[in-house]
Amino acid sequence: MKTLHLSVILLTLSGVLAHSDWGVNYPNNPICAVRGFSVSIPCSYSYPKSKPNIQVIQMLWCSMNSNTDKCQNPPYVYNSSSITTSDFEYAGDNKSNCTLLIHNVQFSYSGEYRFRFITDVSGGMWTGEPGATLQVADLKVSLIRLSGIGTLKQGDSLNLTCDVNCTQSSSQFVWSKNNERLNTSGPVLHFPAVTVRDSGNYSCTWKTNRASGSETISLLVEGGWGVNYTTPICAVRGFSVSIPCSYSYPQHNYQVTQMLWCSMNSNTGGCHNPPYVYNSASITTSDFEYAGDDKSDCTLLIHNVQFSYSGEYRFRFITDVSSGMWTGEPGQILQVSDLKVSLIRLSGNGTLKQGDSLNLTCDVNCTQSSSQFVWSKNNERLNTSGRVLHFPAVTVRDSGNYTCTWKTNRASGSETISLLVEGENQWTIWIIVLVIAGVIFISVTGAVIYNRRFLCDCRFVHTEQQKEDDSTIYENAQQQMGSFAIYANVK
């Protein structure tokens, strides 16, 4: 007798639900992703729409690299009921979309992924199997010499080849030089005879409808002058950023005597004349610091970055030979943005209460690849990554200061947000404290008033009965005071 999986036996109070109404749909072909970048795994799921009372209460994704139980039990790479976050971000919903986003993809992420959902109906759960297949590869840009040996010289022939070593249809290759898109396509960029003007940084961007990635290679053709920049750089306002830069010239015959950087926001002369944000011949200091040398490195550091610093920057150098000077154009693009940590309520309103659901989202609104998000609570690093920190049901213990730190190999920034979760019995405790304080206040006040009235009565009696013995009056007063003390203690 054959054994049926629990996911096939779907029972409700009204009878048996046809398992043909349940399903998960993945792409038919494997999905290719580039290491260090992001990828989207499209996914949709279904269940009996004829049963309008069915509600999806839990969504799960698992990697079959670590899950040996066909995704019916942990571990999961995503669990809607868990507060842990990672490179795996759920981009679907609890209706029909189960798309999974994976950030900062690594080789270890290759393999099969399955989606599982659970409803509020007894036995109403389903795992889509077989799952979606993910292939991870490096994007490689290779220089293939067709003629010439050693360093590149004018007249040499070569190809730049862009390659992703995994199966993927409908992919697109886009080439750019020094951040300017070239009017060409395809995985091969051919140079029949290079010249000095071909020197520069060449980037290949590989795109599909689910993933993308880019890689850069530098060409330096001897016999000429040049300045090499990188792809657009993203920086966070108020923090520092490094702008990598290199330059070249006929080094055997020239000595660099002056290094200059200009911002094209203020310089209208193509950086051939002042103003400059950095001038090696000037003793003035500012947020712009030269971190290069007079040989080949022209790296620029910018501190306390402001929105007004966004734009194009150009490096210019002057040698000891007449007319021996060069400006790298077009220049380096800098984008400046605020790092924002936002609280997005998923349930509840007003002040945060126990059981409310929310996300803390970290965002930098500018283009930057290979960025990393690090979360900490009260200055202690959390064992999680990714731009979203999910809380399915907050508790009082979740109260605290949460800091998101954004990092790249050239810039970083951080922002902090505070969470204050009210406890269920907080107001009850305060009411009890106030009631007790009120009772104590009334009791003490009553005792003081009674005591004063009693003493006044004693003095009045002593005045009216001058003829009575003083010792007798004193004894009577002592007895009455003792009675009052016993009364006050009892109360």
Side-chain angles (χ1 to χ4, degrees), residues 248-302:
S248 59
Y249 53 94
Q251 296 189 12
H252 295 294
N253 303 319
Y254 296 83
Q255 293 292 325
V256 176
T257 59
Q258 190 174 8
M259 294 81 70
L260 306 157
W261 272 96
C262 63
S263 167
M264 303 316 296
N265 293 338
S266 57
N267 192 298
T268 58
C271 201
H272 294 188
N273 295 295
Y276 303 108
V277 296
Y278 172 78
N279 184 349
S280 62
S282 173
I283 62 173
T284 60
T285 60
S286 66
D287 289 337
F288 298 84
E289 176 187 353
Y290 189 68
D293 54 37
D294 61 353
K295 304 297 181 183
S296 61
D297 185 2
C298 48
T299 299
L300 179 69
L301 295 179
I302 307 179

Side-chain angles (χ1 to χ4, degrees), residues 194-214:
V194 295
T195 68
V196 171
R197 293 184 178 180
D198 291 321
S199 296
N201 293 320
Y202 289 83
S203 297
C204 172
T205 301
W206 170 83
K207 296 180 179 180
T208 71
N209 58 347
R210 297 166 186 148
S212 67
S214 64

Side-chain angles (χ1 to χ4, degrees), residues 10-40:
L10 303 168
L11 301 177
T12 64
L13 296 176
S14 59
V16 179
L17 295 174
H19 66 266
S20 60
D21 294 333
W22 299 72
V24 178
N25 296 319
Y26 308 106
N28 294 325
N29 299 319
I31 298 173
C32 187
V34 173
R35 183 170 65 96
F37 291 83
S38 298
V39 64
S40 168

